[in-house]
Amino acid sequence: MTRHVDTAEVDGVRPLAPQEFDQIRQLAYRTFGLDLKSGKEELVSARLRKLVRGGGFRCFQDYYRSIVQDRTGKSLLAMIDALATNHTSFLREPDHFQFLRDQVVPALGARDPIDVWSAACSTGEEVWTLAMVLNEALPHRKVRITASDISNKALSFAQRALYPAERCHGVSATWLSRYFAAEGRPPVSYQIAPAIRAQAVFRRINLVESYSWPHPFPIIFCRNVMIYFDRQTQERVIAGLSQHLEPGGYLFVGHAESLTRVSHSLEYVRPAVYRKPGKKEAMWNK
Ligand SMILES: C[S@@+](CC[C@H](N)C(=O)[O-])C[C@H]1O[C@@H](n2cnc3c(N)ncnc32)[C@H](O)[C@@H]1O
């Protein structure tokens, strides 16, 4: 006879109750914009269970209380890290990089340095892809990538820039030899070369809070994070990004993040590419 084993019996944590899910849902929404719709109970339970157990809590309610009471904010950051999706890859959504190289770079004229903001950069693959594409296209120009994410864990990984070989499968052999240092024979991992690493600076930014930059950017990549936000939050985030975009500057969003239902002030250029109205090519690069 098979016996039903309650999860609580196995690891000493009571299953996530509906009101506990609701508390966590509201906290995640308030603090980092994550829109956890109903139906995500299992995901929340699976992603947070380790933290609940690790903190010695018997139930999600106690765990939730400890986050709210933690003045250091560390428990909240750990919750955000556990709930956020960090999936990314080198050359993700490659037509964006093709458009950047073929259409945006020529319009940059003689600009030097070239400034790009990679917002919600996760573990850095997008940052280094941008650096490599711009170095290829403009070998004698200074490239400056400003990279941000809400997650300190993701930012540390991105800064270390050391990737297991299987995460570099999409990268050409030429780029691997030009921009990476292989470790092991055959390589088990690749680290981004110091000259490329020196082109990026990292900063923790929560896109749903206010932040500031000393200057606007001609190019912003903010991809595959707004998909986790509701329309209201998307509008707020787009308004923030637009404010930090130069007139004539380009915003790249994820292909799954159409802004058709979102009210914003940008011009549609092509799928997942928008432009801030203002200066056109002839003036933009001056
Ligand atoms: C799926 S990854 C996207 C990575 C990369 N942009 C790409 O398209 O491959 C989403 C990232 O958004 C970050 N994130 C989630 N909420 C955020 C917020 N409120 N502010 C800034 N970053 C956030 C997560 O930590 C995660 O690293």
Side-chain angles (χ1 to χ4, degrees), residues 12-28:
V13 177
R14 283 203 288 277
L16 178 70
Q19 76 274 15
E20 292 172 328
F21 172 71
D22 208 45
Q23 283 176 320
I24 290 167
R25 189 179 62 74
Q26 285 180 33
L27 181 65

Side-chain angles (χ1 to χ4, degrees), residues 125-154:
E125 286 87 334
E126 179 177 281
V127 179
W128 309 125
T129 302
L130 282 165
M132 291 186 282
V133 167
L134 292 171
N135 277 270
E136 288 284 300
L138 298 163
H140 305 295
R141 232 58 87 70
K142 190 174 158 106
V143 171
R144 286 196 309 214
I145 319 274
T146 301
S148 70
D149 199 278
I150 196 172
S151 163
N152 286 327
K153 206 164 138 194

